Structure formats: structure tokens, C-alpha cells
Coordinates of all heavy atoms in Angstrom, one line a residue:
M126 N -29.0 -18.3 -9.2 CA -28.6 -17.2 -10.0 C -29.3 -15.9 -9.6 O -30.5 -15.9 -9.5 CB -28.8 -17.5 -11.4 CG -27.7 -18.2 -12.1 SD -26.3 -17.3 -12.8 CE -27.1 -16.6 -14.3
M127 N -28.6 -14.8 -9.4 CA -29.2 -13.6 -9.1 C -29.5 -12.9 -10.4 O -28.7 -12.9 -11.3 CB -28.3 -12.7 -8.2 CG -27.9 -13.3 -6.9 SD -29.2 -13.1 -5.7 CE -28.8 -11.5 -5.1
S128 N -30.6 -12.1 -10.4 CA -30.9 -11.4 -11.7 C -31.0 -9.9 -11.2 O -31.5 -9.6 -10.2 CB -32.2 -11.8 -12.3 OG -32.7 -10.8 -13.1
D129 N -30.6 -9.0 -12.1 CA -30.7 -7.6 -11.9 C -31.8 -6.9 -12.5 O -31.9 -5.6 -12.5 CB -29.3 -6.9 -12.4 CG -28.2 -7.1 -11.3 OD1 -28.5 -7.7 -10.3 OD2 -27.1 -6.6 -11.6
E130 N -32.7 -7.7 -13.0 CA -33.8 -7.1 -13.7 C -34.8 -6.3 -12.8 O -35.1 -6.7 -11.8 CB -34.6 -8.2 -14.3 CG -35.1 -8.0 -15.7 CD -35.8 -9.3 -16.2 OE1 -35.2 -10.3 -16.0 OE2 -36.9 -9.2 -16.7
F131 N -35.3 -5.1 -13.4 CA -36.3 -4.4 -12.6 C -37.6 -4.8 -13.3 O -37.8 -4.7 -14.5 CB -36.0 -2.9 -12.7 CG -35.0 -2.4 -11.8 CD1 -33.6 -2.4 -12.0 CD2 -35.5 -1.9 -10.5 CE1 -32.7 -2.0 -11.1 CE2 -34.5 -1.5 -9.6 CZ -33.1 -1.5 -9.9
I132 N -38.6 -5.0 -12.4 CA -39.9 -5.4 -13.0 C -40.9 -4.3 -12.6 O -41.0 -3.8 -11.5 CB -40.5 -6.6 -12.2 CG1 -39.4 -7.7 -12.4 CG2 -41.7 -7.1 -12.9 CD1 -39.2 -8.4 -13.7
N133 N -41.7 -3.8 -13.6 CA -42.8 -2.8 -13.3 C -43.9 -3.5 -12.5 O -44.4 -4.5 -12.9 CB -43.3 -2.3 -14.6 CG -44.4 -1.3 -14.4 OD1 -45.6 -1.6 -14.8 ND2 -44.1 -0.2 -13.7
V134 N -44.2 -2.9 -11.4 CA -45.1 -3.5 -10.5 C -46.4 -2.6 -10.2 O -47.4 -3.1 -9.7 CB -44.5 -3.9 -9.1 CG1 -43.6 -5.1 -9.3 CG2 -43.8 -2.8 -8.4
A135 N -46.2 -1.3 -10.3 CA -47.3 -0.4 -9.8 C -47.1 1.0 -10.4 O -46.0 1.3 -11.0 CB -47.3 -0.3 -8.3
D136 N -48.1 1.8 -10.2 CA -48.0 3.3 -10.7 C -48.2 4.2 -9.5 O -49.1 3.9 -8.7 CB -49.0 3.5 -11.7 CG -48.7 4.8 -12.5 OD1 -49.1 5.8 -12.0 OD2 -48.1 4.7 -13.6
I137 N -47.3 5.2 -9.3 CA -47.4 6.1 -8.2 C -48.8 6.7 -8.1 O -49.4 6.8 -6.9 CB -46.4 7.2 -8.3 CG1 -45.0 6.6 -8.3 CG2 -46.6 8.2 -7.2 CD1 -43.9 7.7 -8.4
T138 N -49.5 7.0 -9.2 CA -50.8 7.6 -9.0 C -51.9 6.7 -8.5 O -53.0 7.2 -8.1 CB -51.2 8.1 -10.5 OG1 -51.2 7.0 -11.4 CG2 -50.2 9.2 -10.9
D139 N -51.6 5.4 -8.4 CA -52.6 4.4 -7.9 C -52.4 4.3 -6.4 O -53.3 3.6 -5.7 CB -52.4 3.1 -8.6 CG -52.9 3.1 -10.0 OD1 -53.7 4.0 -10.4 OD2 -52.3 2.3 -10.9
I140 N -51.3 4.8 -5.8 CA -51.2 4.6 -4.4 C -51.1 6.0 -3.7 O -50.2 6.8 -4.0 CB -49.8 3.9 -4.1 CG1 -49.7 2.7 -4.9 CG2 -49.7 3.5 -2.6 CD1 -48.3 1.9 -4.8
E141 N -52.1 6.3 -2.8 CA -52.1 7.6 -2.2 C -50.9 7.6 -1.3 O -50.4 6.7 -0.7 CB -53.4 7.7 -1.4 CG -54.6 7.8 -2.5 CD -55.9 8.3 -1.9 OE1 -55.8 9.1 -0.8 OE2 -56.9 8.1 -2.4
I142 N -50.7 9.0 -0.9 CA -49.6 9.1 0.0 C -49.9 8.5 1.4 O -51.0 8.6 1.9 CB -49.3 10.7 0.2 CG1 -47.8 11.0 0.7 CG2 -50.3 11.5 0.9 CD1 -46.9 11.1 -0.5
N143 N -48.9 7.9 2.0 CA -49.0 7.2 3.3 C -49.8 5.9 3.1 O -50.4 5.5 4.2 CB -49.5 8.1 4.4 CG -48.5 9.1 4.8 OD1 -47.3 8.9 4.6 ND2 -48.9 10.3 5.3
Q144 N -50.0 5.5 1.9 CA -50.7 4.2 1.7 C -49.7 3.2 1.1 O -48.6 3.6 0.6 CB -52.0 4.3 0.8 CG -52.9 5.4 1.3 CD -53.6 4.8 2.6 OE1 -53.9 3.7 2.7 NE2 -53.8 5.7 3.5
S145 N -50.1 2.0 1.0 CA -49.2 1.0 0.4 C -50.0 0.0 -0.5 O -51.3 -0.1 -0.3 CB -48.5 0.1 1.5 OG -49.5 -0.5 2.3
Q146 N -49.4 -0.7 -1.3 CA -50.1 -1.6 -2.2 C -49.2 -2.9 -2.2 O -48.0 -2.8 -2.5 CB -50.2 -1.0 -3.6 CG -50.9 -1.8 -4.6 CD -51.1 -1.2 -5.9 OE1 -51.5 -0.1 -6.0 NE2 -50.8 -1.8 -7.0
S147 N -49.9 -4.0 -2.1 CA -49.2 -5.3 -2.1 C -49.2 -5.8 -3.6 O -50.2 -5.9 -4.2 CB -49.9 -6.3 -1.2 OG -49.0 -7.4 -1.0
V148 N -48.1 -6.2 -4.0 CA -47.9 -6.7 -5.3 C -47.2 -8.1 -5.2 O -46.6 -8.4 -4.2 CB -47.2 -5.8 -6.3 CG1 -47.8 -4.5 -6.4 CG2 -45.7 -5.6 -5.8
E149 N -47.3 -8.9 -6.3 CA -46.7 -10.2 -6.3 C -45.5 -10.1 -7.2 O -45.6 -9.7 -8.4 CB -47.7 -11.3 -6.5 CG -47.0 -12.6 -6.1 CD -48.0 -13.7 -6.3 OE1 -49.0 -13.9 -5.7 OE2 -47.7 -14.6 -7.2
L150 N -44.4 -10.5 -6.7 CA -43.2 -10.6 -7.6 C -42.5 -11.9 -7.4 O -42.1 -12.3 -6.4 CB -42.2 -9.5 -7.1 CG -41.1 -9.1 -8.0 CD1 -41.6 -8.5 -9.3 CD2 -40.2 -8.0 -7.3
E151 N -42.6 -12.7 -8.6 CA -42.0 -14.0 -8.5 C -42.5 -14.8 -7.4 O -41.7 -15.5 -6.6 CB -40.5 -13.8 -8.4 CG -39.8 -12.9 -9.4 CD -39.1 -13.7 -10.4 OE1 -38.1 -14.2 -10.2 OE2 -39.7 -13.8 -11.6
G152 N -43.8 -14.8 -7.1 CA -44.3 -15.5 -6.1 C -44.2 -15.0 -4.6 O -44.6 -15.6 -3.7
K153 N -43.7 -13.8 -4.6 CA -43.4 -13.2 -3.2 C -44.3 -12.0 -3.1 O -44.3 -11.2 -4.0 CB -41.9 -12.9 -3.1 CG -41.4 -12.7 -1.7 CD -39.9 -12.6 -1.8 CE -39.3 -13.3 -0.6 NZ -37.9 -13.4 -0.6
A154 N -44.9 -11.8 -1.9 CA -45.7 -10.6 -1.7 C -44.6 -9.5 -1.3 O -44.0 -9.5 -0.4 CB -46.7 -10.8 -0.6
V155 N -44.8 -8.3 -2.1 CA -43.9 -7.2 -1.9 C -44.8 -6.0 -1.7 O -45.8 -5.8 -2.4 CB -43.0 -7.0 -3.1 CG1 -42.1 -5.7 -2.9 CG2 -42.1 -8.1 -3.3
L156 N -44.5 -5.2 -0.6 CA -45.4 -4.1 -0.3 C -44.7 -2.8 -0.8 O -43.6 -2.5 -0.4 CB -45.6 -3.9 1.3 CG -46.7 -3.0 1.7 CD1 -48.0 -3.5 1.2 CD2 -46.6 -2.9 3.2
I157 N -45.4 -2.1 -1.7 CA -45.0 -0.9 -2.3 C -45.6 0.3 -1.4 O -46.8 0.3 -1.3 CB -45.4 -0.7 -3.7 CG1 -45.0 -1.9 -4.6 CG2 -44.8 0.6 -4.3 CD1 -43.6 -2.3 -4.6
C158 N -44.7 1.0 -0.8 CA -45.1 2.1 0.2 C -44.9 3.4 -0.4 O -43.7 3.8 -0.7 CB -44.4 1.9 1.6 SG -44.7 0.3 2.2
H159 N -45.9 4.2 -0.5 CA -45.8 5.6 -1.0 C -45.7 6.6 0.2 O -46.7 6.9 0.9 CB -47.0 6.0 -1.9 CG -46.8 7.3 -2.5 ND1 -47.8 7.8 -3.3 CD2 -45.8 8.1 -2.6 CE1 -47.4 8.9 -3.8 NE2 -46.3 9.2 -3.4
T160 N -44.6 6.9 0.6 CA -44.3 7.7 1.8 C -44.0 9.2 1.4 O -43.6 9.4 0.3 CB -43.3 7.2 2.8 OG1 -42.0 7.6 2.2 CG2 -43.3 5.6 2.7
T161 N -44.0 10.0 2.5 CA -43.5 11.4 2.3 C -42.1 11.4 2.0 O -41.5 12.5 1.6 CB -43.9 12.3 3.4 OG1 -43.4 11.7 4.7 CG2 -45.5 12.4 3.6
K162 N -41.4 10.3 2.3 CA -39.9 10.3 2.2 C -39.5 9.6 0.9 O -38.3 9.4 0.7 CB -39.3 9.6 3.4 CG -39.7 10.2 4.7 CD -38.9 11.5 5.0 CE -39.3 12.0 6.3 NZ -38.8 13.3 6.7
G163 N -40.5 9.1 0.1 CA -40.2 8.4 -1.1 C -41.0 7.1 -1.2 O -41.8 6.8 -0.3
I164 N -40.6 6.4 -2.3 CA -41.3 5.1 -2.5 C -40.3 4.0 -2.0 O -39.1 4.0 -2.3 CB -41.5 4.9 -4.0 CG1 -42.3 6.0 -4.6 CG2 -42.2 3.5 -4.2 CD1 -43.8 5.9 -4.4
F165 N -40.9 3.1 -1.2 CA -40.0 2.0 -0.7 C -40.7 0.6 -0.9 O -42.0 0.6 -1.0 CB -39.8 2.1 0.8 CG -39.1 3.5 1.1 CD1 -39.8 4.5 1.7 CD2 -37.8 3.6 0.9 CE1 -39.1 5.7 2.0 CE2 -37.1 4.8 1.1 CZ -37.8 5.9 1.7
A166 N -39.9 -0.4 -1.1 CA -40.5 -1.8 -1.2 C -39.9 -2.7 -0.2 O -38.7 -2.8 -0.1 CB -40.2 -2.3 -2.7
V167 N -40.8 -3.3 0.5 CA -40.3 -4.4 1.5 C -41.2 -5.5 1.4 O -42.2 -5.6 0.7 CB -40.5 -3.8 3.0 CG1 -39.6 -2.5 3.2 CG2 -42.0 -3.5 3.3
E168 N -40.7 -6.7 2.0 CA -41.5 -7.8 1.9 C -42.9 -7.6 2.6 O -42.8 -7.0 3.8 CB -40.8 -9.1 2.4 CG -40.4 -9.1 3.8 CD -39.7 -10.3 4.3 OE1 -40.3 -11.4 4.0 OE2 -38.7 -10.2 5.0
D169 N -44.0 -8.0 2.0 CA -45.3 -7.8 2.7 C -45.6 -8.9 3.7 O -46.5 -9.6 3.6 CB -46.4 -7.7 1.6 CG -47.7 -7.3 2.3 OD1 -47.7 -6.9 3.4 OD2 -48.7 -7.4 1.6
K170 N -44.7 -9.0 4.7 CA -44.8 -10.1 5.7 C -44.1 -9.6 7.0 O -42.9 -9.4 7.0 CB -44.2 -11.4 5.1 CG -44.6 -12.6 5.9 CD -44.0 -13.8 5.2 CE -42.5 -14.0 5.4 NZ -42.1 -15.3 4.8
C171 N -44.9 -9.3 8.0 CA -44.3 -8.9 9.2 C -43.5 -10.0 9.7 O -43.8 -11.2 9.8 CB -45.4 -8.6 10.2 SG -44.7 -8.0 11.8
S172 N -42.3 -9.7 10.2 CA -41.3 -10.7 10.6 C -41.7 -11.3 12.0 O -41.0 -12.2 12.5 CB -39.9 -10.2 10.7 OG -39.8 -9.0 11.7
H173 N -42.7 -10.7 12.6 CA -43.2 -11.2 13.9 C -44.0 -12.5 13.8 O -43.7 -13.5 14.4 CB -44.0 -10.1 14.7 CG -44.6 -10.6 16.0 ND1 -45.9 -10.5 16.3 CD2 -44.0 -11.3 17.0 CE1 -46.1 -11.0 17.5 NE2 -45.0 -11.5 17.9
A174 N -45.1 -12.4 12.9 CA -45.9 -13.6 12.8 C -46.3 -14.0 11.4 O -47.3 -14.6 11.1 CB -47.1 -13.4 13.7
D175 N -45.4 -13.5 10.4 CA -45.6 -13.8 9.0 C -47.0 -13.4 8.6 O -47.7 -14.1 7.8 CB -45.4 -15.3 8.8 CG -43.9 -15.7 8.9 OD1 -43.1 -14.7 9.1 OD2 -43.6 -16.8 8.8
I176 N -47.4 -12.3 9.0 CA -48.8 -11.7 8.5 C -48.5 -10.5 7.7 O -47.5 -9.9 7.9 CB -49.6 -11.4 9.8 CG1 -50.0 -12.6 10.5 CG2 -50.8 -10.5 9.4 CD1 -50.6 -12.5 11.9
P177 N -49.3 -10.3 6.6 CA -49.1 -9.1 5.8 C -49.1 -7.9 6.5 O -49.8 -7.6 7.5 CB -50.3 -9.2 4.7 CG -50.7 -10.6 4.7 CD -50.5 -11.2 6.1
L178 N -48.2 -6.9 6.1 CA -48.1 -5.6 6.7 C -49.0 -4.6 6.0 O -49.2 -3.5 6.5 CB -46.7 -5.1 6.5 CG -45.6 -5.5 7.5 CD1 -44.2 -5.0 7.0 CD2 -45.9 -4.9 8.9
C179 N -49.6 -5.1 4.9 CA -50.4 -4.2 4.1 C -51.5 -3.6 5.0 O -52.2 -4.3 5.7 CB -51.1 -5.0 3.0 SG -51.8 -4.0 1.7
G180 N -51.8 -2.3 4.8 CA -52.7 -1.6 5.7 C -52.2 -1.0 6.9 O -52.9 -0.3 7.6
G181 N -51.0 -1.3 7.2 CA -50.3 -0.7 8.3 C -50.2 0.8 8.2 O -50.0 1.3 7.2
Q182 N -50.2 1.5 9.4 CA -50.1 2.9 9.2 C -48.7 3.3 9.0 O -47.7 2.9 9.4 CB -50.5 3.5 10.7 CG -50.5 5.0 10.6 CD -50.9 5.6 12.0 OE1 -50.5 5.1 13.0 NE2 -51.6 6.7 11.9
I183 N -48.6 4.3 8.0 CA -47.4 4.8 7.5 C -47.1 6.2 8.0 O -48.1 7.0 7.7 CB -47.2 4.7 6.0 CG1 -47.2 3.2 5.5 CG2 -45.9 5.4 5.5 CD1 -47.2 3.0 4.0
I184 N -46.1 6.5 8.7 CA -45.8 7.9 9.1 C -44.3 8.1 8.7 O -43.4 7.3 9.1 CB -46.0 8.2 10.6 CG1 -47.5 7.9 10.9 CG2 -45.5 9.5 11.0 CD1 -47.8 8.0 12.4
D185 N -44.0 9.1 7.9 CA -42.7 9.4 7.4 C -42.3 8.1 6.7 O -42.9 7.5 5.8 CB -41.7 9.8 8.5 CG -42.1 11.2 9.0 OD1 -42.7 12.0 8.3 OD2 -41.8 11.5 10.2
N186 N -41.0 7.5 7.1 CA -40.6 6.3 6.4 C -40.8 5.1 7.4 O -39.9 4.2 7.3 CB -39.1 6.5 6.0 CG -38.3 7.0 7.2 OD1 -38.5 8.1 7.7 ND2 -37.2 6.2 7.6
F187 N -41.8 5.2 8.2 CA -42.0 4.0 9.1 C -43.4 3.4 9.0 O -44.3 4.2 8.7 CB -41.9 4.5 10.6 CG -40.5 5.0 10.9 CD1 -40.3 6.4 11.0 CD2 -39.5 4.2 11.2 CE1 -39.0 6.9 11.2 CE2 -38.2 4.6 11.5 CZ -37.9 6.0 11.5
I188 N -43.5 2.1 9.1 CA -44.8 1.5 8.9 C -45.0 0.7 10.3 O -44.0 0.2 10.8 CB -44.8 0.5 7.8 CG1 -46.2 0.0 7.5 CG2 -43.8 -0.7 7.9 CD1 -46.5 -0.7 6.2
T189 N -46.2 0.7 10.8 CA -46.6 0.0 11.9 C -47.4 -1.2 11.5 O -48.4 -1.1 10.8 CB -47.5 0.9 12.9 OG1 -46.7 2.0 13.2 CG2 -47.8 0.2 14.1
C190 N -47.1 -2.4 12.0 CA -47.8 -3.5 11.7 C -49.2 -3.4 12.2 O -49.4 -3.1 13.3 CB -47.1 -4.9 12.3 SG -48.0 -6.3 12.1
P191 N -50.2 -3.8 11.4 CA -51.6 -3.6 11.8 C -52.0 -4.7 12.8 O -53.1 -4.5 13.3 CB -52.4 -3.8 10.5 CG -51.5 -4.5 9.6 CD -50.1 -4.1 10.0
V192 N -51.3 -5.7 13.0 CA -51.6 -6.8 13.9 C -51.3 -6.5 15.4 O -52.1 -6.4 16.2 CB -51.1 -8.1 13.4 CG1 -51.7 -9.2 14.2 CG2 -51.5 -8.4 11.9
H193 N -49.9 -6.4 15.6 CA -49.5 -6.2 17.0 C -48.7 -5.0 17.2 O -48.0 -4.8 18.3 CB -48.6 -7.4 17.5 CG -49.3 -8.8 17.3 ND1 -48.7 -9.7 16.4 CD2 -50.5 -9.3 17.8 CE1 -49.6 -10.8 16.4 NE2 -50.6 -10.6 17.2
G194 N -48.5 -4.2 16.2 CA -47.9 -2.8 16.3 C -46.4 -2.8 16.2 O -45.8 -1.8 16.6
A195 N -45.8 -3.8 15.7 CA -44.3 -3.6 15.5 C -44.1 -2.6 14.5 O -44.9 -2.3 13.6 CB -43.7 -4.9 14.9
V196 N -43.0 -1.8 14.6 CA -42.6 -0.7 13.7 C -41.3 -1.0 13.0 O -40.4 -1.5 13.5 CB -42.5 0.6 14.5 CG1 -42.1 1.7 13.6 CG2 -43.8 0.9 15.2
F197 N -41.4 -0.8 11.6 CA -40.2 -1.0 10.8 C -39.9 0.3 10.1 O -40.7 1.0 9.7 CB -40.5 -2.0 9.8 CG -40.8 -3.4 10.3 CD1 -42.2 -3.8 10.6 CD2 -39.9 -4.3 10.7 CE1 -42.6 -5.0 11.2 CE2 -40.2 -5.6 11.2 CZ -41.5 -5.9 11.5
D198 N -38.5 0.5 9.8 CA -38.1 1.6 9.0 C -38.1 1.1 7.6 O -37.4 0.1 7.2 CB -36.6 1.9 9.4 CG -36.1 3.1 8.6 OD1 -36.6 3.5 7.6 OD2 -35.1 3.7 9.2
L199 N -38.8 1.7 6.8 CA -39.0 1.2 5.4 C -37.7 1.5 4.5 O -37.6 0.9 3.5 CB -40.2 2.0 4.7 CG -41.5 1.6 5.3 CD1 -42.6 2.7 4.8 CD2 -42.0 0.2 4.9
T200 N -36.9 2.3 4.9 CA -35.7 2.7 4.1 C -34.7 1.5 4.2 O -34.1 1.2 3.2 CB -35.0 3.9 4.6 OG1 -34.4 3.7 6.0 CG2 -35.9 5.1 4.6
D201 N -34.7 0.7 5.3 CA -33.7 -0.4 5.3 C -34.3 -1.6 5.9 O -33.6 -2.6 6.1 CB -32.4 0.1 6.1 CG -32.7 0.4 7.5 OD1 -33.9 0.3 8.0 OD2 -31.8 0.8 8.3
G202 N -35.7 -1.6 6.2 CA -36.4 -2.8 6.7 C -36.0 -3.1 8.1 O -36.5 -4.0 8.7
S203 N -35.3 -2.2 8.8 CA -34.9 -2.5 10.2 C -36.0 -2.3 11.2 O -36.9 -1.4 11.1 CB -33.7 -1.6 10.6 OG -34.1 -0.2 10.6
V204 N -36.0 -3.3 12.1 CA -37.1 -3.3 13.1 C -36.8 -2.2 14.2 O -35.7 -2.0 14.5 CB -37.3 -4.6 13.8 CG1 -36.0 -5.2 14.5 CG2 -38.5 -4.7 14.6
Q205 N -37.9 -1.4 14.5 CA -37.7 -0.3 15.4 C -38.5 -0.5 16.8 O -38.2 0.2 17.7 CB -38.4 1.0 14.7 CG -37.8 1.3 13.5 CD -36.4 1.8 13.5 OE1 -36.0 2.7 14.2 NE2 -35.5 1.2 12.7
S206 N -39.4 -1.4 16.8 CA -40.2 -1.6 17.9 C -40.7 -3.1 18.0 O -41.0 -3.6 17.0 CB -41.3 -0.6 17.9 OG -42.3 -0.9 18.8
P207 N -40.7 -3.6 19.2 CA -41.3 -5.0 19.4 C -42.8 -5.0 19.1 O -43.4 -4.0 19.1 CB -40.9 -5.3 20.8 CG -40.8 -4.1 21.5 CD -40.3 -3.0 20.5
P208 N -43.4 -6.2 19.0 CA -42.9 -7.6 19.3 C -42.0 -8.2 18.2 O -41.4 -9.3 18.5 CB -44.1 -8.4 19.5 CG -45.1 -7.8 18.6 CD -44.8 -6.3 18.7
A209 N -41.8 -7.6 17.0 CA -41.0 -8.1 16.0 C -39.5 -7.9 16.4 O -39.2 -6.9 17.2 CB -41.2 -7.5 14.6
F210 N -38.6 -8.7 16.1 CA -37.2 -8.5 16.3 C -36.3 -8.9 15.2 O -35.2 -8.7 15.2 CB -36.8 -9.4 17.6 CG -37.0 -10.8 17.5 CD1 -36.0 -11.7 17.0 CD2 -38.2 -11.4 18.0 CE1 -36.3 -12.9 16.8 CE2 -38.4 -12.8 17.8 CZ -37.4 -13.5 17.2
E211 N -36.9 -9.2 14.0 CA -36.1 -9.5 12.8 C -36.5 -8.4 11.8 O -37.6 -8.0 11.7 CB -36.4 -10.9 12.3 CG -35.8 -12.0 13.0 CD -36.2 -13.4 12.3 OE1 -35.8 -13.7 11.2 OE2 -37.1 -14.0 13.0
D212 N -35.5 -8.0 11.0 CA -35.7 -7.0 10.0 C -36.4 -7.6 8.8 O -36.5 -8.7 8.7 CB -34.3 -6.5 9.6 CG -33.5 -5.8 10.6 OD1 -34.2 -5.4 11.7 OD2 -32.3 -5.5 10.4
L213 N -36.9 -6.7 8.1 CA -37.7 -7.0 6.9 C -36.7 -7.0 5.6 O -35.7 -6.3 5.7 CB -38.8 -6.1 6.5 CG -39.9 -5.8 7.4 CD1 -40.8 -4.6 7.0 CD2 -40.8 -7.0 7.6
E214 N -37.1 -7.9 4.6 CA -36.3 -7.8 3.4 C -36.7 -6.6 2.7 O -37.9 -6.2 2.7 CB -36.6 -9.1 2.6 CG -35.7 -9.2 1.3 CD -36.0 -10.4 0.5 OE1 -36.8 -11.3 1.0 OE2 -35.5 -10.5 -0.6
T215 N -35.8 -5.9 2.1 CA -36.1 -4.7 1.3 C -35.7 -4.9 -0.2 O -34.9 -5.8 -0.4 CB -35.4 -3.4 1.8 OG1 -34.0 -3.7 1.7 CG2 -35.8 -3.1 3.2
F216 N -36.3 -4.2 -1.1 CA -36.1 -4.3 -2.5 C -35.8 -2.9 -3.0 O -36.4 -1.9 -2.7 CB -37.4 -4.9 -3.2 CG -37.8 -6.2 -2.6 CD1 -38.7 -6.3 -1.6 CD2 -37.2 -7.4 -3.1 CE1 -39.1 -7.4 -1.0 CE2 -37.6 -8.6 -2.5 CZ -38.5 -8.7 -1.5
E217 N -34.8 -3.0 -4.0 CA -34.4 -1.7 -4.7 C -35.5 -1.3 -5.6 O -36.2 -2.1 -6.3 CB -33.2 -2.0 -5.5 CG -32.2 -0.8 -5.5 CD -31.0 -1.2 -6.2 OE1 -30.2 -2.2 -5.8 OE2 -30.7 -0.5 -7.2
V218 N -35.8 0.0 -5.5 CA -37.0 0.6 -6.4 C -36.4 1.5 -7.4 O -35.4 2.3 -7.2 CB -37.9 1.4 -5.4 CG1 -38.9 2.1 -6.1 CG2 -38.6 0.4 -4.5
Q219 N -37.1 1.5 -8.5 CA -36.6 2.5 -9.6 C -37.9 3.1 -10.1 O -38.9 2.5 -10.4 CB -36.0 1.6 -10.8 CG -35.3 2.5 -11.8 CD -34.6 1.4 -12.8 OE1 -35.2 0.8 -13.5 NE2 -33.2 1.5 -12.7
I220 N -37.8 4.4 -10.2 CA -39.0 5.3 -10.6 C -38.7 5.8 -12.0 O -37.7 6.5 -12.1 CB -39.3 6.4 -9.7 CG1 -39.3 5.9 -8.2 CG2 -40.6 7.1 -10.0 CD1 -40.5 5.1 -7.8
E221 N -39.6 5.6 -12.9 CA -39.5 6.3 -14.2 C -40.9 7.0 -14.5 O -41.9 6.3 -14.7 CB -39.2 5.3 -15.3 CG -37.8 5.0 -15.4 CD -37.5 3.8 -16.4 OE1 -37.8 2.7 -16.0 OE2 -37.0 4.1 -17.5
G222 N -40.9 8.2 -14.4 CA -42.2 9.0 -14.6 C -43.0 8.6 -13.3 O -42.6 8.9 -12.2
T223 N -44.1 8.0 -13.5 CA -44.9 7.6 -12.4 C -44.8 6.1 -12.2 O -45.6 5.5 -11.4 CB -46.4 8.0 -12.5 OG1 -47.0 7.4 -13.7 CG2 -46.5 9.5 -12.6
S224 N -44.0 5.4 -13.0 CA -44.0 4.0 -13.0 C -43.0 3.4 -11.9 O -41.9 3.9 -11.9 CB -43.7 3.5 -14.4 OG -43.1 2.2 -14.4
I225 N -43.5 2.5 -11.1 CA -42.6 2.0 -10.1 C -42.1 0.5 -10.5 O -43.0 -0.3 -10.8 CB -43.4 1.9 -8.7 CG1 -44.0 3.2 -8.4 CG2 -42.5 1.4 -7.7 CD1 -44.9 3.1 -7.2
S226 N -40.8 0.4 -10.4 CA -40.3 -0.9 -10.7 C -39.5 -1.4 -9.5 O -38.9 -0.6 -8.8 CB -39.3 -0.9 -11.9 OG -40.1 -0.6 -13.1
V227 N -39.4 -2.7 -9.3 CA -38.7 -3.2 -8.2 C -37.7 -4.2 -8.7 O -38.0 -4.9 -9.6 CB -39.7 -3.9 -7.3 CG1 -38.9 -4.7 -6.1 CG2 -40.6 -3.0 -6.6
K228 N -36.5 -4.2 -8.1 CA -35.4 -5.1 -8.6 C -35.7 -6.6 -8.2 O -35.9 -6.9 -7.1 CB -34.2 -4.6 -8.0 CG -32.9 -5.3 -8.6 CD -31.7 -4.6 -8.0 CE -30.4 -5.2 -8.7 NZ -29.3 -4.5 -8.1
K229 N -35.7 -7.3 -9.2 CA -35.9 -8.8 -9.0 C -34.5 -9.4 -8.6 O -33.6 -9.5 -9.4 CB -36.4 -9.3 -10.2 CG -36.7 -10.8 -10.2 CD -37.3 -11.2 -11.6 CE -36.1 -11.8 -12.4 NZ -36.5 -12.5 -13.6
S230 N -34.4 -9.8 -7.3 CA -33.0 -10.3 -7.0 C -33.2 -11.4 -5.9 O -32.4 -11.5 -5.0 CB -32.2 -9.1 -6.4 OG -32.9 -8.6 -5.3
F231 N -34.1 -12.2 -6.2 CA -34.4 -13.4 -5.3 C -33.4 -14.5 -5.6 O -33.2 -14.8 -6.7 CB -35.8 -13.9 -5.4 CG -36.8 -12.7 -5.2 CD1 -38.0 -12.7 -6.0 CD2 -36.6 -11.7 -4.3 CE1 -38.9 -11.7 -5.9 CE2 -37.6 -10.7 -4.2 CZ -38.7 -10.7 -5.0
S232 N -32.9 -14.9 -4.5 CA -31.9 -16.1 -4.7 C -32.7 -17.4 -4.5 O -32.1 -18.5 -4.8 CB -30.8 -15.9 -3.7 OG -31.4 -15.6 -2.4
E233 N -33.9 -17.3 -4.1 CA -34.6 -18.6 -3.9 C -35.5 -19.0 -5.1 O -35.9 -18.1 -5.7 CB -35.4 -18.7 -2.6 CG -35.7 -17.3 -2.1 CD -36.6 -17.4 -0.8 OE1 -37.2 -18.3 -0.5 OE2 -36.5 -16.4 -0.1
Ligands
LIG273 S1 -47.6 -9.8 13.2 FE1 -46.7 -7.8 13.0 S2 -46.3 -7.3 15.1 FE2 -47.2 -9.3 15.3

């Protein structure tokens, strides 16, 4: 069953611009990214070697994996640069004031 519920996970004032924060949502690590292009949420797991992306450099709406340098577009999770070749899962984000909520829509 899919749920459309949004869960509050973080506050914008706690994440500096071009920084990210890893949160746990239903047992899954989700990376909340505060970029100059907005707030995005992607799975906190590089699709190359299943290692957290947290701490990766963020420029505009792109994050670079801190391990081997794969680049992902945070807006849609699409891979932009090897060695990764699979896209990231993305999550819908809702902002209310400074409060960040992520849509809980896990099918597993
Ligand atoms: S783990 Fe991210 S590029 Fe290798």
C-alpha cells in the first residue's frame, strides 16, 4: 500500500546552504539537501557502491559522491557522471515555513 503522508524530517535553519542532512524515514536513509535551487530529498545511498552520499559537495542542484565522484542531479536523481550509472530515488518535499517534510511513499 502506498501512503501519501508527508513526514516532518528537518528544519531549513539547521542545514546550511550547499549542505545536506541525512534523516531516517521508515528505516530508509534520506538525504535532505539545501541547495541554491531549493530543497531536495534523495536516497542517502550512492547507486555506485551503496555508500552514503552525505557530505558530498553540492553545487547548484548537483551533488558529487564523496567516495568516487559520481555526480547526480538532485532535482530528479538522474546520474550525470560515472562511475555510477543508476539514478537515485527521489522524494517529494513540502516546505511549511522553515519546516521540511518528505512524502512517505515507500512501497517496500
Ligand atoms: S560510491 Fe559513489 S561514486 Fe562510488
